[in-house]
Amino acid sequence: MARGRLRIYLGAAPGVGKTYAMLSEAHRRVERGTDCVVAFVEHHNRPRTEVMLHGLEQVPRRELAYRGSVFTEMDVDAVLARRPQVALVDELPHTNIPGSRNTKRWQDVEELLAAGIDVVSTVNIQHLESLGDVVESITGVRQRETVPDEVVRRADQIELVDMSPPALRRRMAHGNIYKPDKVDAALANYFRPGNLTALRELALLWVADRVDEYLTAYRREHQVSAIWGSRERIVVGLTGGPEGRTLIRRAVRLAEKGAGGEVLAVYIARSDGLTSASPKELAVQRTLVEDLGGTFHHVIGDDISSAILEFARGVNATQIVLGASRRRAWQYLFGPGVSAIVARESGPDLDVHIVTHDEVAKGRGLPVARGALLGRSRTVGGWFTGVAGPALLTLLLTHTDVDLGLTNDMLLFLTLTVAAALLGGLLPALASAAVGSMLLNWYFTPPVHHVTIADPKNILALVIFVMVGVAVASVVDLAARRTHQAARLRSESEILSFLAGSVLRGETSLEALLERVRETFGMESVALLERESEVAPWTCAGSVGPRAAVRRPEDADVDMPVGDHMALALSGRVLPASDRRVLAAFAAQAVVVLDRRRLQSEADQAKALAEGNRIRTALLAAVSHDLRTPLAGIKASVTSLRSDDVEWSQEDRAELLAAIEEGADRLDHLVGNLLDMSRLQTGTVTALIRETDLDEVVPLALGGVPDPEETVLLDIPEDLPMVSVDKGLLERSVANVVENAVKYSPAGKPVLVSASAIADRVEVRVVDRGPGVPDGAKDRIFAPFQRYGDAPRGAGVGLGLAVARGFAEAMGGTLTAEDTPGGGLTMVLTLKAAPGRPAVPGGIPGAVVP
């Protein structure tokens, strides 16, 4: 029996239209005469989806009792008995109710496929097993119902049902996905624009990889060797040299010019294992290409050019990036080079980029970093080879019967001289030449055992021997000196580059700079000294190191004056004159850092003074008007009550007393906010964190709201986790936010206060239907003494939201403003869930979990 075919509609999020598309496909198949039934489709009370079920045969579901409730699942036996051509099975990752035939619905689908029934199903990208961690990091929600990637990858057809995030949010706001009471929470949590954009990108990339697998399989089955440029895929050929980093970055820039570009770095190693590549450099390049989003490949091949081309065609690459040859001019006698061969044989379907770099024409060998000197061990080895080597060679030649002749004897001694030069430099080579010439004269030049030389040709040979030894030693010594100079200049350039970079980056840490000076020059301590005048004592502006900082530049081992009143003092050793140029650059930078730090400190002080002046000015304005207004009302009411000229009725007296009480309450509220703001400005607010239930605090915060039963709707679930907060600060924060929302909310539209748990946090949302606030003003409304828009005078001094945010941050939470779908403003108070208390599983709103 042939296995059935599986077609999957893949979406990025609920509501994009997967089930609708599946039902539309079912109607098309029924119209063509296909026997198609609905095995299980969940319309979630969406009217348009429910209408699409009309006209389709539905297999009755199986009812199962679980924990006192009755649930329905797909009846696999009934579907198998009905044996249709096509079965519609919605929500492939669904977990069946305990007692079902299989644990997961995709296992039910496997049974239908094995029975030869074609299946059309749906799945969201967040339900794929391999993407669980990624989705949780994006949305904060861990998906409990997942399906193995392999099940979806084995599908015969995968169709992406796509929708832009704004369009999906509009569909949500219109009530086409969830019930109206779930819309606000869904839009503010799971269906945020950033979440939807990231999930959409995941879906697109996953489908693109699946399409690429189809294309690779088709090319392999049909033996297609030509490159199909369906997407930019760039291969970077690496040699293990330092130019590889330049090539990788260049390839990444090329890939970024086109959407979906991919970079594959490949290193071709010879099969015999002989290579000049630096393992450390290859590791660095592997890390670099992976950090930039590419992949690294290690391939074996004796013919590097053919291996690169074969690899590029095997991965369907469109471009190859190679470095310009490091060969010297004479080395081209042995062949044109890898880059030229690849460019010549790439054909019309592969573009080859040859990138220049700093290592061009410097030779094939990798540059070897050498120390400033030859080193103690090499020097000792050179002296031993130059002095003891000729003596041992003489002993060997004089105690053997083999007569090599004077020419060969001189060549052996010359070999020792060259070896001494390579190891120890000039002086050991000169000593070897001198010792060798004397031994040759005494033991091997006729007449032997005499200082004289009978044959003039032997005299010339000895002179040439000495000259060659001296020449080789001079060349080696010169190379060592040049290497030392190059290393020194390179080190100086790196240091100066660091200093220039620190200036551009605006780094202001004087201690870090002084520590860099101490490490660079190997000092015990470094101090920056300054004085106000020529006769004033020196003071220490900054120091590092275990030793106590010197008090005067004269007491230091090295001092570098900077101007007339500053100096850099170093203790530990005396530096050579060649180091003072770099030290002067460090000293100048240290002064710049010190000046910048002082200017920053003065700017901060000036900013604090300006802020204090602004607050004092605003406070005087508040006292002059907003505080005097309730006082004036109280004064007028009291004066009226005390007046003997008017006989007040009981109703009038009650009204005047109510005015006095209202004015006193307003005055108490204003003074309380002023005191709270003062505590926040001085940093004296200390939160006493305790585990608290929201349903105990939020109702208390509504005490100052007029007619809370009519103006505020509460939606605080009882199963919310406890939060780690200061109960008093939370109450004041919520009270200020709710009072602000009630103030701006129109009559007849109550403010909604709801709460929900997401991952390890709890969000309290205060939703009003007022005029709202533009995006540019959402941060300004939290500043002290700010009243947005046309708020009436006397409505407050503009401290409520500032105090609320300050208290929220003091408890480790946040308070932000968002637009309310359909108009208005939503305040989101985010709090930490209590540790050790399991949070409510944060799923998609409206989802039913057994």
Side-chain angles (χ1 to χ4, degrees):
M1 179 183 299
R3 178 180 172 86
R5 298 175 60 85
L6 175 62
R7 178 188 180 98
I8 291 180
Y9 286 92
L10 177 68
V16 296
K18 302 180 304 301
T19 305
Y20 192 94
M22 179 180 66
L23 294 174
S24 298
E25 174 66 18
H27 280 285
R28 287 192 293 270
R29 297 196 181 196
V30 169
E31 291 174 359
R32 295 196 300 264
T34 304
D35 183 14
C36 182
V37 301
V38 176
F40 187 96
V41 169
E42 184 61 63
H43 55 74
H44 296 293
N45 295 322
R46 298 169 188 170
R48 296 184 180 181
T49 305
E50 188 174 1
V51 168
M52 293 297 294
L53 287 171
H54 297 166
L56 296 177
E57 178 185 350
Q58 301 186 43
V59 177
R61 301 182 184 182
R62 181 185 178 190
E63 294 185 353
L64 294 171
Y66 180 69
R67 293 183 178 178
S69 300
V70 177
F71 298 91
T72 59
E73 295 287 1
M74 180 175 66
D75 193 336
V76 180
D77 293 328
V79 178
L80 292 174
R82 172 62 176 78
R83 197 169 186 78
Q85 289 180 280
V86 179
L88 306 184
V89 182
D90 203 7
E91 299 179 357
L92 188 63
H94 173 74
T95 301
N96 293 328
I97 296 295
S100 300
R101 184 189 189 95
N102 295 299
T103 304
K104 305 289 287 187
R105 184 166 293 165
W106 63 264
Q107 295 171 334
D108 296 338
V109 169
E110 287 293 323
E111 285 196 38
L112 300 182
L113 294 173
I117 301 174
D118 294 344
V119 176
V120 182
S121 187
T122 62
V123 66
N124 283 328
I125 191 67
Q126 65 266 26
H127 292 293
L128 294 180
E129 182 67 39
S130 64
L131 300 178
D133 294 337
V134 179
V135 172
E136 183 179 13
S137 65
I138 295 172
T139 64
V141 177
R142 182 68 181 184
Q143 298 296 334
R144 291 165 296 167
E145 294 187 335
T146 59
V147 58
D149 290 45
E150 185 60 28
V151 174
V152 182
R153 287 185 180 275
R154 288 201 306 263
D156 299 278
Q157 297 181 45
I158 298 177
E159 182 172 336
L160 178 66
V161 182
D162 190 28
M163 178 175 288
S164 66
L168 182 57
R169 285 174 58 85
R170 284 195 300 271
R171 178 181 288 184
M172 172 70 71
H174 294 159
N176 295 331
I177 301 177
Y178 295 145
K179 295 180 179 179
D181 59 340
K182 299 291 185 181
V183 170
D184 289 339
L187 289 175
N189 295 308
Y190 195 88
F191 286 82
R192 293 175 179 175
N195 290 359
L196 296 179
T197 302
L199 292 174
R200 188 188 188 198
E201 183 179 14
L202 279 178
L204 291 171
L205 291 175
W206 195 91
V207 173
D209 290 339
R210 177 61 173 152
V211 172
D212 195 53
E213 291 177 8
Y214 281 134
L215 179 61
T216 302
Y218 180 85
R219 285 166 49 84
R220 183 173 57 252
E221 292 173 2
H222 294 78
Q223 298 180 352
V224 178
S225 59
I227 292 176
W228 292 354
S230 55
R231 62 187 294 190
E232 290 295 335
R233 186 173 280 109
I234 303 173
V235 171
V236 186
L238 302 179
T239 64
E243 75 278 2
R245 307 182 198 182
T246 302
L247 303 183
I248 292 171
R249 294 188 178 97
R250 176 62 174 163
V252 170
R253 290 197 297 272
L254 288 173
E256 289 175 349
K257 292 181 180 179
E262 184 180 357
V263 175
L264 300 91
V266 57
Y267 171 69
I268 310 296
R270 297 187 182 275
S271 58
D272 56 9
L274 300 178
T275 177
S276 60
S278 167
K280 181 179 179 181
E281 183 65 28
L282 280 178
V284 171
Q285 293 174 15
R286 175 193 289 269
T287 303
L288 175 62
V289 70
E290 291 176 351
D291 289 344
L292 294 177
T295 56
F296 184 90
H297 305 269
H298 198 117
V299 178
I300 303 297
D302 293 326
D303 189 340
I304 297 178
S305 304
S306 299
I308 290 178
L309 288 171
E310 183 179 352
F311 176 82
R313 292 193 172 97
V315 298
N316 200 29
T318 57
Q319 302 181 54
I320 298 178
V321 175
L322 299 174
S325 178
R326 289 190 282 125
R327 291 183 171 196
R328 299 186 187 276
W330 61 269
Q331 290 178 315
Y332 283 97
L333 296 174
F334 300 100
V338 173
S339 302
I341 296 175
V342 171
R344 184 184 64 200
E345 299 182 359
S346 60
D349 51 359
L350 263 175
D351 296 334
V352 179
H353 302 265
I354 300 191
V355 181
T356 59
H357 49 84
D358 295 336
E359 304 299 321
V360 174
K362 291 186 177 180
R364 287 184 173 182
L366 297 175
V368 180
R370 302 183 64 175
L373 301 175
L374 292 176
R376 182 185 300 272
S377 60
R378 289 189 57 178
T379 303
V380 172
W383 279 105
F384 180 82
T385 303
V387 177
L392 295 175
L393 181 59
T394 301
L395 183 63
L396 177 64
L397 293 177
T398 55
H399 287 76
T400 58
D401 297 334
V402 180
D403 185 10
L404 300 177
L406 181 60
T407 302
N408 292 328
D409 295 338
M410 294 182 69
L411 289 177
L412 292 175
F413 277 93
L414 181 60
T415 301
L416 290 177
T417 301
V418 173
L422 293 174
L423 288 175
L426 180 62
L427 293 180
L430 293 178
S432 177
V435 173
S437 62
M438 289 187 296
L439 292 176
L440 282 170
N441 184 13
W442 183 263
Y443 288 100
F444 303 100
T445 305
V448 296
H449 303 302
H450 291 82
V451 179
T452 59
I453 302 175
D455 189 352
K457 295 181 179 179
N458 294 334
I459 297 176
L460 179 61
L462 285 175
V463 171
I464 294 175
F465 168 77
V466 174
M467 291 176 61
V468 170
V470 172
V472 172
S474 300
V475 170
V476 173
D477 183 70
L478 180 62
R481 292 177 183 274
R482 292 291 183 266
T483 301
H484 169 61
Q485 293 174 0
R488 183 177 187 83
L489 291 175
R490 182 177 60 200
S491 177
E492 289 184 3
S493 66
E494 290 177 355
I495 293 172
L496 294 177
S497 175
F498 162 78
L499 291 176
S502 63
V503 172
L504 294 176
R505 291 189 298 269
E507 296 179 354
T508 57
S509 176
L510 178 61
E511 288 72 18
L513 182 63
L514 296 180
E515 182 63 28
R516 180 64 183 261
V517 175
R518 190 176 73 89
E519 293 177 354
T520 300
F521 298 101
M523 292 295 182
E524 294 184 3
S525 62
V526 179
L528 181 63
L529 305 178
E530 62 176 344
R531 59 181 179 180
E532 297 179 356
S533 63
E534 295 291 342
V535 296
W538 291 92
T539 59
C540 180
S543 64
V544 294
R547 287 179 50 178
V550 296
R551 299 298 180 184
R552 300 183 305 167
E554 297 82 3
D555 300 334
D557 295 320
V558 180
D559 70 285
M560 175 58 64
V562 187
D564 296 331
H565 305 301
M566 301 194 76
L568 194 64
L570 294 81
S571 301
R573 65 185 180 93
V574 178
L575 291 179
S578 57
D579 288 340
R580 295 186 67 85
R581 180 177 59 179
V582 177
L583 184 60
F586 269 114
Q589 178 64 11
V591 174
V592 171
V593 170
L594 180 62
D595 291 342
R596 183 186 295 126
R597 187 170 70 176
R598 289 176 174 172
L599 289 175
Q600 183 64 42
S601 177
E602 293 175 359
D604 292 341
Q605 293 178 2
K607 183 178 179 180
L609 292 175
E611 180 68 16
N613 289 333
R614 188 184 69 82
I615 292 178
R616 280 192 291 271
T617 301
L619 179 60
L620 290 175
V623 171
S624 64
H625 188 281
D626 294 286
L627 294 182
R628 291 178 62 185
T629 299
L631 284 175
I634 295 173
K635 176 67 175 177
S637 298
V638 171
T639 302
S640 298
L641 289 173
R642 290 173 56 87
S643 175
D644 297 332
D645 299 335
V646 181
E647 185 67 27
W648 301 100
S649 64
Q650 290 294 112
E651 292 79 6
D652 292 335
R653 294 177 65 86
E655 184 176 350
L656 291 173
L657 290 174
I660 294 174
E661 184 178 10
E662 180 183 356
D665 291 339
R666 287 177 53 192
L667 187 62
D668 178 70
H669 181 73
L670 293 174
V671 172
N673 276 337
L674 288 172
L675 293 176
D676 290 339
M677 197 67 228
S678 175
R679 293 168 59 199
L680 290 172
Q681 292 287 340
T682 57
T684 58
V685 175
T686 302
L688 184 61
I689 304 299
R690 293 287 187 271
E691 294 184 2
T692 307
D693 282 322
L694 278 179
D695 54 4
E696 295 180 0
V697 179
V698 175
L700 297 177
L702 306 182
V705 178
D707 299 325
E709 295 81 4
E710 302 294 333
T711 58
V712 180
L713 293 178
L714 282 180
D715 182 15
I716 309 296
E718 297 181 356
D719 55 354
L720 278 178
M722 302 181 74
V723 292
S724 297
V725 295
D726 183 302
K727 187 174 181 180
L729 298 183
L730 177 61
E731 181 180 341
R732 291 297 306 275
S733 182
V734 173
N736 284 357
V737 173
V738 173
E739 290 173 9
N740 182 80
V742 171
K743 183 191 309 178
Y744 289 96
S745 189
K749 294 185 177 180
V751 172
L752 173 63
V753 180
S754 63
S756 59
I758 303 175
D760 59 346
R761 63 187 188 273
V762 175
E763 288 187 351
V764 179
R765 312 182 68 83
V766 180
V767 183
D768 67 61
R769 296 294 178 177
V773 176
D775 293 338
K778 282 187 173 62
D779 286 334
R780 293 202 305 270
I781 61 176
F782 293 102
F785 302 104
Q786 294 291 323
R787 291 185 298 185
Y788 177 74
D790 55 352
R793 300 295 293 180
V797 295
L799 288 177
L801 294 181
V803 170
R805 170 174 276 190
F807 284 170
E809 293 175 349
M811 296 182 294
T814 59
L815 179 62
T816 57
E818 298 179 356
D819 291 330
T820 300
L825 189 67
T826 298
M827 292 291 179
V828 183
L829 176 61
T830 304
L831 306 169
K832 293 181 179 179
R837 296 297 183 94
V840 174
I844 301 173
V848 178
V849 180

